[in-house]
Amino acid sequence: MSVTPGSKRVSVPALARRKGGEPLVCLTAHSTPVAKLIDPHVDMILVGDSLGMVVYGFESTLPVTLDMMIAHGAAVCRGSSRACVIVDMPFASYQESPQQAFRNAARVMAETGCAAVKLEGGAEMAETVAFLTARGVPVMGHVGLTPQSVNALGGFRTRGRTEAEGDAILADARAIAEAGAFSIVVEGVVEPLADRITAAVPVPTIGIGASLGCDGQVLVTDDLLGLFSDFTPKFVRRYAQLGGQISEAAACFADDVRNRRFPGPENVFAPAKPKPALEPAGD
Ligand code: KIV
């Protein structure tokens, strides 16, 4: 899809119609400046709860709160004018009941201006997905490796290696699609399973650590830029090494300050020039 500056925002139905078409492009953003930079190039911006790890330094996404997601979601919406912005529902903000999910999703949509929310889970979340979509909240699903279940899953391991686990994940994706999700993130599953899911559901699948055969791909922008260096998952391709550049820039600044090379003459302000004396009035 070509992207023209000033063109209108990509809508949820427009995304859903892209099943089987040109691959959908999704990146995460958590701030206004990053949203502005990526907005012209992507179909979707995901305000992912991965921000708990890449921005806040938590070991998992579990400590992320609804207020954090709303603050970052609103910042991203301020920086985006054409991509469809989707905000993650954080852990414990939707699992209790469809009513709890609706209350919190409505807050996210009203207070951020996003077009849709994403929530993790399979068949057990189908009732909630149906409840939300019937009430005007578009939902993106998320199956396979679902980071909010890291404790129940026993770590961030690839899923669907056994036939039984693969069948269960496929059933999860089907249940979420039937419940009305407009798209489904498929994360951290073996490639053939991602392909089976993509063939089985009528909505676009967005892969991360999944398959080239998915209807679209998503990466965490901090990973793609080389900003998050604690570890690099196999499924990440680094397109820049900004971490190294930031560290080098900080070192150069420190060196300039310590050696009295900063600020330079171009960085300081001259005092106001004295006003010329008035000519004495002529006779
Ligand atoms: O939180 C996130 O950034 C995500 C993506 C990894 C899909 O859910």
mmCIF file of all heavy atoms in Angstrom, residues 26-30 46-52 54 61 69 88 118 120 140 142 145 147-148 185-187 206-208 218-221 223 235, ligand 1:
data_model
loop_
_atom_site.group_PDB
_atom_site.id
_atom_site.type_symbol
_atom_site.label_atom_id
_atom_site.label_comp_id
_atom_site.label_asym_id
_atom_site.label_seq_id
_atom_site.Cartn_x
_atom_site.Cartn_y
_atom_site.Cartn_z
ATOM 1 N N CYS A 26 3.036 -3.560 10.964
ATOM 2 C CA CYS A 26 2.720 -3.035 12.305
ATOM 3 C C CYS A 26 4.015 -2.881 13.095
ATOM 4 O O CYS A 26 4.888 -3.749 13.059
ATOM 5 C CB CYS A 26 1.780 -4.013 13.016
ATOM 6 S SG CYS A 26 1.274 -3.490 14.668
ATOM 7 N N LEU A 27 4.151 -1.748 13.775
ATOM 8 C CA LEU A 27 5.269 -1.538 14.704
ATOM 9 C C LEU A 27 4.698 -1.011 16.007
ATOM 10 O O LEU A 27 3.621 -0.407 16.025
ATOM 11 C CB LEU A 27 6.273 -0.519 14.141
ATOM 12 C CG LEU A 27 7.266 -1.033 13.098
ATOM 13 C CD1 LEU A 27 8.087 0.130 12.541
ATOM 14 C CD2 LEU A 27 8.200 -2.085 13.710
ATOM 15 N N THR A 28 5.445 -1.188 17.072
ATOM 16 C CA THR A 28 5.010 -0.622 18.349
ATOM 17 C C THR A 28 5.540 0.807 18.478
ATOM 18 O O THR A 28 6.544 1.173 17.862
ATOM 19 C CB THR A 28 5.551 -1.427 19.550
ATOM 20 O OG1 THR A 28 6.980 -1.336 19.554
ATOM 21 C CG2 THR A 28 5.112 -2.880 19.500
ATOM 22 N N ALA A 29 4.833 1.601 19.273
ATOM 23 C CA ALA A 29 5.355 2.912 19.679
ATOM 24 C C ALA A 29 4.823 3.175 21.077
ATOM 25 O O ALA A 29 3.752 2.680 21.457
ATOM 26 C CB ALA A 29 4.901 4.011 18.726
ATOM 27 N N HIS A 30 5.597 3.953 21.812
ATOM 28 C CA HIS A 30 5.181 4.274 23.179
ATOM 29 C C HIS A 30 5.259 5.761 23.459
ATOM 30 O O HIS A 30 4.982 6.195 24.570
ATOM 31 C CB HIS A 30 6.059 3.506 24.188
ATOM 32 C CG HIS A 30 6.059 2.028 23.956
ATOM 33 N ND1 HIS A 30 7.196 1.294 23.728
ATOM 34 C CD2 HIS A 30 5.036 1.165 23.869
ATOM 35 C CE1 HIS A 30 6.870 0.030 23.529
ATOM 36 N NE2 HIS A 30 5.564 -0.071 23.606
ATOM 37 N N LEU A 46 1.004 -0.311 17.250
ATOM 38 C CA LEU A 46 0.556 -0.995 18.460
ATOM 39 C C LEU A 46 1.231 -0.369 19.673
ATOM 40 O O LEU A 46 2.461 -0.305 19.728
ATOM 41 C CB LEU A 46 0.910 -2.483 18.384
ATOM 42 C CG LEU A 46 0.646 -3.284 19.658
ATOM 43 C CD1 LEU A 46 -0.855 -3.369 19.949
ATOM 44 C CD2 LEU A 46 1.238 -4.677 19.551
ATOM 45 N N VAL A 47 0.416 0.125 20.599
ATOM 46 C CA VAL A 47 0.971 0.578 21.882
ATOM 47 C C VAL A 47 0.978 -0.671 22.759
ATOM 48 O O VAL A 47 -0.006 -1.007 23.412
ATOM 49 C CB VAL A 47 0.129 1.714 22.490
ATOM 50 C CG1 VAL A 47 0.821 2.285 23.721
ATOM 51 C CG2 VAL A 47 -0.122 2.804 21.461
ATOM 52 N N GLY A 48 2.067 -1.412 22.643
ATOM 53 C CA GLY A 48 2.133 -2.728 23.280
ATOM 54 C C GLY A 48 2.487 -2.623 24.750
ATOM 55 O O GLY A 48 3.220 -1.715 25.158
ATOM 56 N N ASP A 49 2.004 -3.597 25.526
ATOM 57 C CA ASP A 49 2.385 -3.593 26.944
ATOM 58 C C ASP A 49 3.824 -4.093 27.118
ATOM 59 O O ASP A 49 4.349 -4.120 28.237
ATOM 60 C CB ASP A 49 1.392 -4.385 27.805
ATOM 61 C CG ASP A 49 1.345 -5.855 27.465
ATOM 62 O OD1 ASP A 49 1.955 -6.274 26.462
ATOM 63 O OD2 ASP A 49 0.685 -6.615 28.228
ATOM 64 N N SER A 50 4.490 -4.416 25.991
ATOM 65 C CA SER A 50 5.934 -4.674 26.041
ATOM 66 C C SER A 50 6.667 -3.450 26.588
ATOM 67 O O SER A 50 7.822 -3.531 26.982
ATOM 68 C CB SER A 50 6.468 -5.014 24.644
ATOM 69 O OG SER A 50 6.119 -3.997 23.721
ATOM 70 N N LEU A 51 5.972 -2.306 26.624
ATOM 71 C CA LEU A 51 6.587 -1.098 27.195
ATOM 72 C C LEU A 51 7.034 -1.343 28.638
ATOM 73 O O LEU A 51 7.977 -0.705 29.126
ATOM 74 C CB LEU A 51 5.663 0.120 27.101
ATOM 75 C CG LEU A 51 4.380 0.208 27.949
ATOM 76 C CD1 LEU A 51 4.653 0.739 29.357
ATOM 77 C CD2 LEU A 51 3.373 1.118 27.264
ATOM 78 N N GLY A 52 6.372 -2.276 29.310
ATOM 79 C CA GLY A 52 6.786 -2.610 30.685
ATOM 80 C C GLY A 52 8.237 -3.055 30.718
ATOM 81 O O GLY A 52 8.981 -2.741 31.651
ATOM 82 N N VAL A 54 10.562 -2.770 27.779
ATOM 83 C CA VAL A 54 11.507 -1.954 27.001
ATOM 84 C C VAL A 54 11.587 -0.505 27.453
ATOM 85 O O VAL A 54 12.561 0.174 27.162
ATOM 86 C CB VAL A 54 11.242 -2.040 25.477
ATOM 87 C CG1 VAL A 54 11.360 -3.466 24.975
ATOM 88 C CG2 VAL A 54 9.891 -1.471 25.097
ATOM 89 N N THR A 61 5.624 -8.267 31.461
ATOM 90 C CA THR A 61 4.620 -7.221 31.224
ATOM 91 C C THR A 61 3.587 -7.156 32.356
ATOM 92 O O THR A 61 2.710 -6.294 32.333
ATOM 93 C CB THR A 61 3.880 -7.489 29.889
ATOM 94 O OG1 THR A 61 3.305 -8.805 29.933
ATOM 95 C CG2 THR A 61 4.823 -7.401 28.708
ATOM 96 N N MET A 69 -0.888 2.419 30.261
ATOM 97 C CA MET A 69 -1.280 2.197 28.861
ATOM 98 C C MET A 69 -2.029 3.414 28.321
ATOM 99 O O MET A 69 -1.864 3.786 27.154
ATOM 100 C CB MET A 69 -2.151 0.942 28.724
ATOM 101 C CG MET A 69 -1.437 -0.373 29.017
ATOM 102 S SD MET A 69 0.153 -0.598 28.183
ATOM 103 C CE MET A 69 -0.288 -0.486 26.466
ATOM 104 N N ASP A 88 -2.794 -2.012 23.817
ATOM 105 C CA ASP A 88 -2.877 -3.265 24.575
ATOM 106 C C ASP A 88 -3.649 -3.074 25.872
ATOM 107 O O ASP A 88 -3.440 -2.081 26.594
ATOM 108 C CB ASP A 88 -1.455 -3.720 24.959
ATOM 109 C CG ASP A 88 -1.003 -4.932 24.185
ATOM 110 O OD1 ASP A 88 -1.843 -5.638 23.598
ATOM 111 O OD2 ASP A 88 0.219 -5.177 24.178
ATOM 112 N N LYS A 118 -6.110 -4.458 22.022
ATOM 113 C CA LYS A 118 -5.642 -5.840 21.841
ATOM 114 C C LYS A 118 -5.689 -6.539 23.188
ATOM 115 O O LYS A 118 -5.352 -5.924 24.209
ATOM 116 C CB LYS A 118 -4.212 -5.858 21.286
ATOM 117 C CG LYS A 118 -3.638 -7.282 21.206
ATOM 118 C CD LYS A 118 -2.396 -7.380 20.339
ATOM 119 C CE LYS A 118 -1.118 -6.977 21.027
ATOM 120 N NZ LYS A 118 -0.783 -7.787 22.208
ATOM 121 N N GLU A 120 -4.896 -10.553 25.090
ATOM 122 C CA GLU A 120 -4.293 -11.876 24.929
ATOM 123 C C GLU A 120 -5.270 -12.965 25.355
ATOM 124 O O GLU A 120 -6.093 -12.742 26.252
ATOM 125 C CB GLU A 120 -3.026 -11.979 25.801
ATOM 126 C CG GLU A 120 -1.935 -11.019 25.381
ATOM 127 C CD GLU A 120 -0.672 -11.137 26.238
ATOM 128 O OE1 GLU A 120 -0.568 -12.079 27.064
ATOM 129 O OE2 GLU A 120 0.208 -10.282 26.074
ATOM 130 N N MET A 140 -8.330 -6.728 18.656
ATOM 131 C CA MET A 140 -7.291 -7.543 18.021
ATOM 132 C C MET A 140 -6.965 -8.649 19.024
ATOM 133 O O MET A 140 -6.759 -8.367 20.211
ATOM 134 C CB MET A 140 -6.051 -6.672 17.758
ATOM 135 C CG MET A 140 -4.857 -7.436 17.233
ATOM 136 S SD MET A 140 -3.451 -6.309 17.006
ATOM 137 C CE MET A 140 -3.424 -6.212 15.235
ATOM 138 N N HIS A 142 -4.690 -12.139 20.352
ATOM 139 C CA HIS A 142 -3.248 -12.437 20.495
ATOM 140 C C HIS A 142 -3.142 -13.862 21.039
ATOM 141 O O HIS A 142 -3.545 -14.113 22.179
ATOM 142 C CB HIS A 142 -2.626 -11.415 21.467
ATOM 143 C CG HIS A 142 -1.128 -11.521 21.613
ATOM 144 N ND1 HIS A 142 -0.354 -10.452 22.018
ATOM 145 C CD2 HIS A 142 -0.257 -12.549 21.439
ATOM 146 C CE1 HIS A 142 0.908 -10.805 22.077
ATOM 147 N NE2 HIS A 142 0.996 -12.088 21.734
ATOM 148 N N LEU A 145 2.330 -17.572 22.006
ATOM 149 C CA LEU A 145 3.088 -17.148 23.185
ATOM 150 C C LEU A 145 2.439 -15.846 23.679
ATOM 151 O O LEU A 145 2.566 -14.807 23.023
ATOM 152 C CB LEU A 145 4.548 -16.910 22.813
ATOM 153 C CG LEU A 145 5.583 -16.880 23.928
ATOM 154 C CD1 LEU A 145 6.963 -16.694 23.342
ATOM 155 C CD2 LEU A 145 5.331 -15.833 24.979
ATOM 156 N N PRO A 147 2.572 -13.221 26.451
ATOM 157 C CA PRO A 147 3.507 -12.859 27.533
ATOM 158 C C PRO A 147 2.850 -12.628 28.900
ATOM 159 O O PRO A 147 3.494 -12.828 29.925
ATOM 160 C CB PRO A 147 4.175 -11.580 27.011
ATOM 161 C CG PRO A 147 4.074 -11.694 25.523
ATOM 162 C CD PRO A 147 2.757 -12.360 25.264
ATOM 163 N N GLN A 148 1.572 -12.236 28.905
ATOM 164 C CA GLN A 148 0.933 -12.024 30.216
ATOM 165 C C GLN A 148 0.743 -13.357 30.957
ATOM 166 O O GLN A 148 0.478 -13.372 32.159
ATOM 167 C CB GLN A 148 -0.418 -11.312 30.051
ATOM 168 C CG GLN A 148 -0.263 -9.867 29.587
ATOM 169 C CD GLN A 148 -1.590 -9.172 29.341
ATOM 170 O OE1 GLN A 148 -2.646 -9.635 29.760
ATOM 171 N NE2 GLN A 148 -1.550 -8.052 28.644
ATOM 172 N N VAL A 185 -2.864 -11.330 16.486
ATOM 173 C CA VAL A 185 -1.405 -11.466 16.581
ATOM 174 C C VAL A 185 -1.102 -12.928 16.906
ATOM 175 O O VAL A 185 -1.708 -13.510 17.806
ATOM 176 C CB VAL A 185 -0.828 -10.545 17.682
ATOM 177 C CG1 VAL A 185 0.625 -10.905 17.985
ATOM 178 C CG2 VAL A 185 -0.925 -9.086 17.255
ATOM 179 N N VAL A 186 -0.185 -13.507 16.142
ATOM 180 C CA VAL A 186 0.251 -14.886 16.385
ATOM 181 C C VAL A 186 1.719 -14.792 16.793
ATOM 182 O O VAL A 186 2.564 -14.425 15.978
ATOM 183 C CB VAL A 186 0.088 -15.746 15.114
ATOM 184 C CG1 VAL A 186 0.575 -17.168 15.372
ATOM 185 C CG2 VAL A 186 -1.372 -15.746 14.644
ATOM 186 N N GLU A 187 1.992 -15.077 18.051
ATOM 187 C CA GLU A 187 3.366 -14.846 18.553
ATOM 188 C C GLU A 187 4.043 -16.148 18.972
ATOM 189 O O GLU A 187 3.434 -16.997 19.639
ATOM 190 C CB GLU A 187 3.324 -13.894 19.766
ATOM 191 C CG GLU A 187 4.727 -13.693 20.365
ATOM 192 C CD GLU A 187 4.839 -12.575 21.395
ATOM 193 O OE1 GLU A 187 3.829 -11.899 21.656
ATOM 194 O OE2 GLU A 187 5.957 -12.421 21.921
ATOM 195 N N ILE A 206 -1.223 -11.457 12.276
ATOM 196 C CA ILE A 206 -0.038 -10.594 12.323
ATOM 197 C C ILE A 206 1.021 -11.369 13.107
ATOM 198 O O ILE A 206 0.856 -11.611 14.306
ATOM 199 C CB ILE A 206 -0.354 -9.250 13.024
ATOM 200 C CG1 ILE A 206 -1.626 -8.590 12.450
ATOM 201 C CG2 ILE A 206 0.847 -8.310 12.939
ATOM 202 C CD1 ILE A 206 -1.568 -8.234 10.977
ATOM 203 N N GLY A 207 2.079 -11.753 12.407
ATOM 204 C CA GLY A 207 3.065 -12.629 13.027
ATOM 205 C C GLY A 207 4.191 -11.891 13.732
ATOM 206 O O GLY A 207 4.608 -10.811 13.321
ATOM 207 N N ILE A 208 4.648 -12.510 14.809
ATOM 208 C CA ILE A 208 5.894 -12.080 15.473
ATOM 209 C C ILE A 208 6.531 -13.375 15.971
ATOM 210 O O ILE A 208 5.950 -14.074 16.804
ATOM 211 C CB ILE A 208 5.667 -11.033 16.584
ATOM 212 C CG1 ILE A 208 7.000 -10.728 17.287
ATOM 213 C CG2 ILE A 208 4.575 -11.398 17.578
ATOM 214 C CD1 ILE A 208 7.016 -9.447 18.108
ATOM 215 N N VAL A 218 4.646 -7.846 12.831
ATOM 216 C CA VAL A 218 4.852 -6.793 13.834
ATOM 217 C C VAL A 218 6.192 -7.024 14.519
ATOM 218 O O VAL A 218 6.608 -8.154 14.718
ATOM 219 C CB VAL A 218 3.705 -6.774 14.891
ATOM 220 C CG1 VAL A 218 3.531 -8.099 15.600
ATOM 221 C CG2 VAL A 218 3.917 -5.657 15.924
ATOM 222 N N LEU A 219 6.873 -5.929 14.842
ATOM 223 C CA LEU A 219 8.064 -6.007 15.702
ATOM 224 C C LEU A 219 7.966 -4.905 16.746
ATOM 225 O O LEU A 219 7.294 -3.882 16.526
ATOM 226 C CB LEU A 219 9.353 -5.813 14.899
ATOM 227 C CG LEU A 219 9.936 -7.037 14.177
ATOM 228 C CD1 LEU A 219 11.256 -6.654 13.484
ATOM 229 C CD2 LEU A 219 10.175 -8.220 15.117
ATOM 230 N N VAL A 220 8.648 -5.115 17.854
ATOM 231 C CA VAL A 220 8.762 -4.077 18.867
ATOM 232 C C VAL A 220 9.833 -3.101 18.351
ATOM 233 O O VAL A 220 10.967 -3.503 18.076
ATOM 234 C CB VAL A 220 9.152 -4.687 20.235
ATOM 235 C CG1 VAL A 220 9.425 -3.601 21.263
ATOM 236 C CG2 VAL A 220 8.047 -5.632 20.730
ATOM 237 N N THR A 221 9.458 -1.837 18.204
ATOM 238 C CA THR A 221 10.350 -0.857 17.569
ATOM 239 C C THR A 221 11.692 -0.763 18.294
ATOM 240 O O THR A 221 12.740 -0.615 17.661
ATOM 241 C CB THR A 221 9.633 0.507 17.505
ATOM 242 O OG1 THR A 221 8.481 0.323 16.672
ATOM 243 C CG2 THR A 221 10.495 1.587 16.913
ATOM 244 N N ASP A 223 13.341 -3.073 19.630
ATOM 245 C CA ASP A 223 14.173 -4.195 19.176
ATOM 246 C C ASP A 223 14.738 -3.898 17.791
ATOM 247 O O ASP A 223 15.931 -4.078 17.533
ATOM 248 C CB ASP A 223 13.333 -5.479 19.067
ATOM 249 C CG ASP A 223 12.992 -6.076 20.436
ATOM 250 O OD1 ASP A 223 13.742 -5.822 21.406
ATOM 251 O OD2 ASP A 223 11.981 -6.788 20.520
ATOM 252 N N PHE A 235 13.675 -13.983 16.566
ATOM 253 C CA PHE A 235 12.753 -13.483 15.537
ATOM 254 C C PHE A 235 12.933 -12.000 15.230
ATOM 255 O O PHE A 235 12.257 -11.460 14.356
ATOM 256 C CB PHE A 235 11.295 -13.760 15.944
ATOM 257 C CG PHE A 235 10.894 -13.186 17.279
ATOM 258 C CD1 PHE A 235 10.583 -11.846 17.404
ATOM 259 C CD2 PHE A 235 10.838 -13.994 18.396
ATOM 260 C CE1 PHE A 235 10.218 -11.311 18.633
ATOM 261 C CE2 PHE A 235 10.468 -13.484 19.625
ATOM 262 C CZ PHE A 235 10.160 -12.139 19.740
HETATM 263 O O1 KIV B 1 3.263 -5.793 23.731
HETATM 264 C C1 KIV B 1 3.655 -5.890 22.555
HETATM 265 O O2 KIV B 1 4.497 -5.127 22.076
HETATM 266 C C2 KIV B 1 3.053 -6.943 21.750
HETATM 267 C C3 KIV B 1 3.728 -7.295 20.462
HETATM 268 C C4 KIV B 1 4.954 -8.026 20.741
HETATM 269 C C5 KIV B 1 2.809 -8.036 19.565
HETATM 270 O O3 KIV B 1 2.088 -7.516 22.134
#
